[in-house]
Amino acid sequence: MKLSKILLAGGAVVLSALSMTAAPEERVLGIYDKAVFYDGYNANVFDKDAADGILRHTNYLYAKRLTDADLQWFGNDLTMKVTIGALCDNYDRLGNVTLALVPKGEESYDINEVQRIEVARFVTPFMNKNRQPNSVPYEYKLPGLSLIMRDAALRAKYDFWLEFEVFGIPYAANQQIVGCATRNDVFSGTLEFVSADEPAALTDDNVLVPIVMKKTEIHGPKNFNSYTEGACDELGKAAKTYRFTLDEDVNDARIILITSNHGAAENGEEYVRRHHFVYVDGEPVFDYTPGGVDCEPYRKYNTQPNGIYGYTPDYDFWYNYSNWCPGQAFPIREIHLGAMKAGEHSVLLSVPDAEFYGNQGDFYVSAYLQGARKGLVPSEVPELVMKADFEFRQEGNVLFFHGAESAAEVAIYSIGGELLYGRHNPGDSISLETFAPGLYLVSVRTADGRAALHKMVVK
């Protein structure tokens, strides 16, 4: 902002707003405008021949090729806004936005034959289309995506198709919602990008490596679980390794991770909060427990009565049981790795306490690596679980931990993620006398959910 100086009688100086440079106006790039999604189980793809530029892979997965003008729009600042409108599905359903890298000039593509990364994920609320509000908004700050959109090498090799996926079925609404008896449209979706700065130049600093992309819901439980061949490293254990190759050294590497737990049957993983561990090349780098947030802000969007939102707030349920809220944008987690060498690498996700009762349910996992050759990867993802600042010290058979606040919980895991010890209000130390020699992970948490992870050797 530019200010001019004005000299007054007596020598006083004031700043004048007359020459202030106006802040840049917010720019908007619309991609989808109230696109209608239909019954996900219906093999007949509706609106397939509509002249709206949308490639309809299925009734729930759409794609739109970004034009050169679209790609030239992107600035360093980037927000994505998604709005889901209620039609004839009154249940909570999964949706996401994906970027597909398709060989240039293709008019169509097979989603299983091209590289794709998941940009964002959300879950719809229980909505009755006849009640207000009849739509729900989601918003994501995505400066890292802007860097991908402006990657000169990727732009030269691929067309960018932005996929919009919302799976829904109308069968319950056909019986329960007035006006839906014979309809098979389930949701409408609007997607737009917003930027508060000017278009930015192409970059040659970005490195993108897709790691894993979740399967769509209709494909069944083939994502991550402990009971399906190929969905885990070893049957009976909820651990899955994803391997990738980094072709060059990078100065700053980050893994972008989106997960959500599903399975609504009795004792389903959807309702049980589990401790998740992430390892890169065998080293523990991140741990988190989904959920533990206040779901009351989403109550107003849940206009269809359901078994999750009762007549009065139930904060205990949200903080202690729920993995996510109907109407919520799923967290996007960034794992900062710093400098990383070229070569073969692995990411292991372990959820040792997961049970998958009755061999039902699974975890949807998407991840990709984004790196910068020289600088840093831009990020505005908020810290979803603030890290606690604890110091650890071993003296003989005692582990001491000390931080600004006292620990509310301590847990010790094997290096593979098996829970071996847990205690509430542990004080500031624990005895290690009963632990066999080996390598362990210690998780210390404060009452407000902050955590510290420590790798410990018992001799």
Side-chain angles (χ1 to χ4, degrees):
M1 183 177 291
K2 184 178 180 181
L3 300 176
S4 64
K5 295 181 180 179
I6 299 178
L7 184 64
L8 301 179
V13 176
V14 297
L15 297 178
S16 169
L18 295 178
S19 63
M20 287 184 180
T21 302
E25 293 185 5
E26 190 173 76
R27 300 181 300 114
V28 178
L29 175 64
I31 307 297
Y32 293 89
D33 183 17
K34 295 183 179 178
V36 176
F37 296 88
Y38 295 91
D39 178 4
Y41 288 131
N42 195 320
N44 177 39
V45 180
F46 298 93
D47 297 340
K48 188 172 185 178
D49 298 322
D52 54 8
I54 297 176
L55 171 61
R56 290 168 168 82
H57 290 286
T58 64
N59 283 323
Y60 58 89
L61 176 56
Y62 298 169
K64 202 166 185 179
R65 178 164 44 195
L66 300 182
T67 66
D68 288 341
D70 292 337
L71 291 171
Q72 291 166 6
W73 174 93
F74 287 89
N76 290 306
D77 174 77
L78 184 63
T79 297
M80 185 176 73
K81 295 183 178 181
V82 173
T83 303
I84 299 299
L87 292 174
C88 288
D89 187 341
N90 54 336
Y91 273 71
D92 54 335
R93 307 295 185 188
L94 197 65
N96 59 276
V97 178
T98 306
L99 179 65
L101 304 178
V102 180
K104 293 188 76 70
E106 298 293 332
E107 295 301 319
S108 183
Y109 63 95
D110 183 335
I111 63 170
N112 298 308
E113 299 296 328
V114 301
Q115 295 185 94
R116 302 161 68 227
I117 61 169
E118 185 172 2
V119 173
R121 187 181 303 179
F122 56 88
V123 60
T124 69
F126 294 82
M127 291 190 289
N128 182 330
K129 71 178 185 66
N130 302 312
R131 298 175 180 171
Q132 296 294 327
N134 60 3
S135 65
V136 57
Y138 309 87
E139 186 170 305
Y140 309 83
K141 295 289 287 183
L142 299 171
L145 178 65
S146 175
L147 203 64
I148 295 171
M149 295 295 195
R150 296 184 287 110
D151 186 311
L154 292 177
R155 290 262 292 269
K157 187 175 182 180
Y158 300 105
D159 284 333
F160 290 7
W161 292 69
L162 198 69
E163 299 177 350
F164 199 179
E165 180 176 355
V166 187
F167 186 91
I169 54 177
Y171 314 135
N174 292 155
Q175 305 296 322
Q176 299 170 358
I177 303 300
V178 174
C180 286
T182 60
R183 291 172 53 170
N184 60 14
D185 53 332
V186 289
F187 298 103
S188 69
T190 296
L191 189 156
E192 62 184 16
F193 291 108
V194 177
S195 181
D197 63 9
E198 298 301 318
L202 292 177
T203 177
D204 61 359
D205 194 35
N206 182 66
V207 175
L208 176 66
V209 183
I211 297 175
V212 57
M213 176 68 204
K214 78 168 184 69
K215 303 293 190 300
T216 55
E217 183 167 342
I218 200 170
H219 285 99
K222 299 177 182 178
N223 284 278
F224 168 38
N225 60 56
S226 64
Y227 59 90
T228 304
E229 198 76 48
C232 53
D233 292 343
E234 179 183 346
L235 287 175
K237 293 185 177 180
K240 175 67 175 175
T241 300
Y242 306 96
R243 304 187 186 281
F244 65 95
T245 301
L246 184 60
D247 291 332
E248 57 187 302
D249 294 352
V250 294
N251 178 66
D252 179 39
R254 304 182 185 193
I255 289 177
I256 315 301
L257 175 68
I258 303 177
T259 66
S260 54
N261 305 351
H262 301 276
E266 182 182 4
N267 299 319
E269 288 298 305
E270 185 171 309
Y271 305 122
V272 186
R273 299 183 64 214
R274 307 292 195 189
H275 203 152
H276 293 51
F277 295 92
V278 182
Y279 304 78
V280 173
D281 298 336
E283 291 294 319
V285 295
F286 194 67
D287 73 305
Y288 64 98
T289 301
V293 298
D294 181 7
C295 289
E296 286 304 310
Y298 307 100
R299 177 184 288 273
K300 63 182 179 182
Y301 300 113
N302 284 262
T303 55
Q304 164 71 32
N306 58 78
I308 295 179
Y309 281 96
Y311 290 105
T312 59
D314 187 351
Y315 297 103
D316 181 69
F317 174 78
W318 300 134
Y319 282 107
N320 294 300
Y321 300 99
S322 176
N323 277 288
W324 41 262
C325 312
Q328 177 193 15
F330 282 107
I332 301 172
R333 294 181 166 89
E334 287 192 1
I335 304 172
H336 297 200
L337 303 176
M340 198 169 188
K341 292 291 186 181
E344 301 296 318
H345 298 278
S346 66
V347 177
L348 167 66
L349 178 62
S350 175
V351 191
D353 298 332
E355 296 180 357
F356 300 105
Y357 185 81
N359 285 350
Q360 297 186 57
D362 60 344
F363 296 174
Y364 291 178
V365 180
S366 289
Y368 62 92
L369 181 142
Q370 186 170 11
R373 294 181 174 90
K374 301 180 294 293
L376 300 176
V377 178
S379 173
E380 289 192 32
V381 174
E383 284 292 335
L384 300 168
V385 179
M386 294 175 58
K387 293 298 179 183
D389 184 16
F390 273 85
E391 296 179 355
F392 295 87
R393 184 181 81 259
Q394 284 179 248
E395 294 184 4
N397 287 326
V398 178
L399 176 68
F400 294 90
F401 38 89
H402 175 74
E405 297 183 50
S406 61
E409 173 187 291
V410 64
I412 299 180
Y413 298 82
S414 69
I415 196 65
E418 180 185 359
L419 179 63
L420 303 175
Y421 172 93
R423 177 170 294 179
H424 292 286
N425 301 317
D428 60 2
S429 67
I430 53 174
S431 172
L432 305 177
E433 290 184 355
T434 61
F435 289 90
L439 189 61
Y440 299 89
L441 295 177
V442 181
S443 174
V444 174
R445 293 181 179 271
T446 62
D448 61 3
R450 290 177 296 134
L453 190 65
H454 172 67
K455 186 164 64 174
M456 172 184 71
V457 176
V458 176
K459 297 181 179 179

